[in-house]
Amino acid sequence: MGMSPEEFDSITVAEFIAKQKGFFDLELRREKQHWYRTVALLNIQLQKKDRINPERLFEEKKKKPKRVMTREEFEKLNKRWSKFHVAGEPKFPIPG
């Protein structure tokens, strides 16, 4: 990040986090520039139908929602791990 030990000792945690975020944003932009150049050089060699769209390389993939465990799955898991519970009592709340 280009900081001297004296500068590191004199900044606050909030300033450090802001500086770190800026540093990683800059590094990400540099990496993207390299990829754009690579794709441009690659596209020169490819036929038009096979060319790569550089924007698609950096699209954010949508996160899938977390799957909720069903009551049957919970019971099966609870039965499997019941030997680790005190007197067979589950330590986890039973889902609705």
Side-chain angles (χ1 to χ4, degrees):
M1 290 180 10
M3 292 181 6
S4 67
E6 294 80 23
E7 183 182 1
F8 178 77
D9 288 340
S10 67
I11 64 173
T12 65
V13 174
E15 291 170 332
F16 177 77
I17 291 171
K19 191 170 187 93
Q20 184 183 33
K21 183 182 180 321
F23 174 77
F24 285 120
D25 287 346
L26 177 64
E27 287 298 311
L28 181 63
R29 274 189 263 132
R30 286 179 181 161
E31 186 176 333
K32 282 184 178 182
Q33 285 177 344
H34 290 297
W35 277 107
Y36 279 118
R37 283 188 213 115
T38 302
V39 169
L41 292 171
L42 181 64
N43 281 339
I44 291 170
Q45 303 295 321
L46 296 174
Q47 295 180 3
K48 191 168 186 171
K49 65 180 176 97
D50 297 328
R51 291 186 181 158
I52 300 168
N53 181 353
E55 296 298 324
R56 292 193 61 202
L57 289 175
F58 301 108
E59 288 178 353
E60 293 285 327
K61 292 187 177 183
K62 294 181 180 177
K63 293 182 180 178
K64 294 180 182 177
K66 291 184 179 179
R67 192 176 75 78
V68 178
M69 186 184 297
T70 64
R71 184 170 182 84
E72 292 78 25
E73 291 171 327
F74 177 81
E75 293 295 338
K76 184 178 176 183
L77 189 64
N78 189 36
K79 184 177 178 182
R80 181 176 177 193
W81 291 96
S82 64
K83 61 184 172 185
F84 298 107
H85 300 297
V86 178
E89 292 294 321
K91 294 183 180 180
F92 311 105
I94 297 174

